[in-house]
Amino acid sequence: MGMLEGKVASITGSGRGIGAAAAKLFAAEGASVLVSDLDQAPAEETAEAIRQAGGKASVLAGDVTDPAFPSQVIKATLDAFGTLDIIVNNAGYSWDAVIQNMTDKQWYAMMEIHTAAPFRILREASHYIREVAKKEQATNGRATPRKVVNVTSIAGVHGNPGQASYATGKAGIIGLTKTLAKEWGRYNVQVNCVCFGFIETRMTAPKEQAEKLQREGEEIALGIPEKMRQMAAQTIPLGRPGTPEEAAGAMLLLASPFANYITGQVLEVTGGSDL
């Protein structure tokens, strides 16, 4: 029996990187997974890898910042699997500039993706979660434990030069997490944040080789300069960046029964660094 046997998880941004690693790990531990991503192709690729390994997955392509997306993703999960036990708000990107060069578009884009989108998804999910929990309480005396795992960053906890908007958006999700932990405790929902440091993804790839993202009518260059990557790695006590699979392991912990009495917390997954 896996740690998530019989559970259903919805994971945004799970076509690539940390989200894809989490989707595969959750499925390997017995969960049925709704894989959602901005792009159809990587979402299908993740889902197919899960199915090939003997797991269950369904796909929804869409933009988490679209106001229509929350109802779509909750409905898609329930239609595919009949229930919802775990929500992982993982989708995100960074659009950096020092404050004197930062536009309103950059600022609000980070608020939308990192704070408003998770808020809307959780608000939509609240209708299902509250109704089911109340029925379980009436029948069994206690609701089944459910989990929310939000994703923040050390930039949101400690700040980072050139990332005023990103850091503020990531700080906002911490506030949402701590508040919802108090609101949803009565429904036996554990709500936590996983806080990532330097993890090897396309967001932290060498800027000279990194992909470009089309958002808000703009082309956004992902990645960070190689010199900064090397400097960042030197500040990590464990001596290296983390892998997507290691990052997914922290998500699994917070989504598992081992976290049934952990709520409102921020788990830093940084290799020991606070930079």
Side-chain angles (χ1 to χ4, degrees):
M1 294 284 287
M3 291 170 64
L4 303 181
E5 197 69 37
K7 300 297 185 181
V8 172
S10 173
I11 307 176
T12 64
S14 48
R16 305 177 177 88
I18 295 169
K24 293 171 187 175
L25 180 59
F26 282 27
E29 290 292 336
S32 300
V33 182
L34 191 285
V35 178
S36 67
D37 200 272
L38 180 64
D39 301 314
Q40 183 85 28
E44 292 286 0
E45 184 177 338
T46 298
E48 183 57 28
I50 289 171
R51 296 184 194 113
Q52 289 292 327
K56 297 178 181 179
S58 186
V59 170
L60 175 69
D63 183 347
V64 294
T65 65
D66 181 348
F69 182 83
S71 61
Q72 293 169 358
V73 72
I74 300 304
K75 184 177 185 299
T77 306
L78 295 175
D79 287 350
F81 304 117
T83 189
L84 176 58
D85 302 288
I86 302 161
I87 298 172
V88 180
N89 285 307
N90 170 75
Y93 66 100
S94 65
W95 192 2
D96 301 339
V98 290
I99 195 165
Q100 65 268 26
N101 297 331
M102 185 169 288
T103 65
D104 283 3
K105 182 185 281 190
Q106 285 175 283
W107 175 267
Y108 286 113
M110 294 296 92
M111 300 308 110
E112 277 290 307
I113 188 75
H114 295 298
T115 305
F119 158 72
R120 293 189 192 111
I121 290 170
L122 294 170
R123 181 177 61 183
E124 182 66 30
S126 71
H127 306 300
Y128 171 79
I129 287 172
R130 292 173 67 250
E131 179 183 345
V132 171
K134 288 177 181 179
K135 289 179 180 177
E136 291 170 346
Q137 288 166 341
T139 302
N140 307 317
R142 188 170 184 81
T144 300
R146 292 181 172 83
K147 305 291 190 291
V148 173
V149 181
N150 293 320
V151 175
T152 188
S153 162
I154 53 171
V157 176
H158 302 289
N160 195 41
Q163 292 193 314
S165 57
Y166 178 77
T168 303
K170 286 300 192 183
I173 193 63
I174 295 174
L176 178 63
T177 297
K178 290 181 175 291
T179 299
L180 203 57
K182 293 180 177 180
E183 290 187 10
W184 281 6
R186 70 189 69 180
Y187 305 120
N188 203 15
V189 180
Q190 294 79 49
V191 187
N192 292 290
C193 259
V194 61
C195 173
F196 293 130
F198 188 175
I199 307 294
E200 288 280 15
T201 68
R202 65 177 184 153
M203 301 298 175
T204 58
K207 205 168 196 61
E208 299 77 11
Q209 307 164 17
E211 300 176 30
K212 290 182 171 58
L213 183 67
Q214 298 291 333
R215 296 288 296 179
E216 308 293 330
E218 306 271 358
E219 185 177 77
I220 301 167
L222 304 178
I224 55 179
E226 180 58 32
K227 185 176 180 180
M228 290 182 63
R229 280 172 46 87
Q230 293 175 8
M231 290 173 59
Q234 291 171 5
T235 70
I236 301 171
L238 289 184
R240 61 175 179 82
T243 67
E245 290 72 25
E246 289 169 326
M251 290 176 163
L252 175 62
L253 168 62
L254 294 178
S256 78
F258 291 113
N260 281 357
Y261 201 65
I262 300 172
T263 196
Q265 302 304 304
V266 179
L267 175 62
E268 295 193 17
V269 183
T270 67
S273 175
D274 60 2
L275 299 176

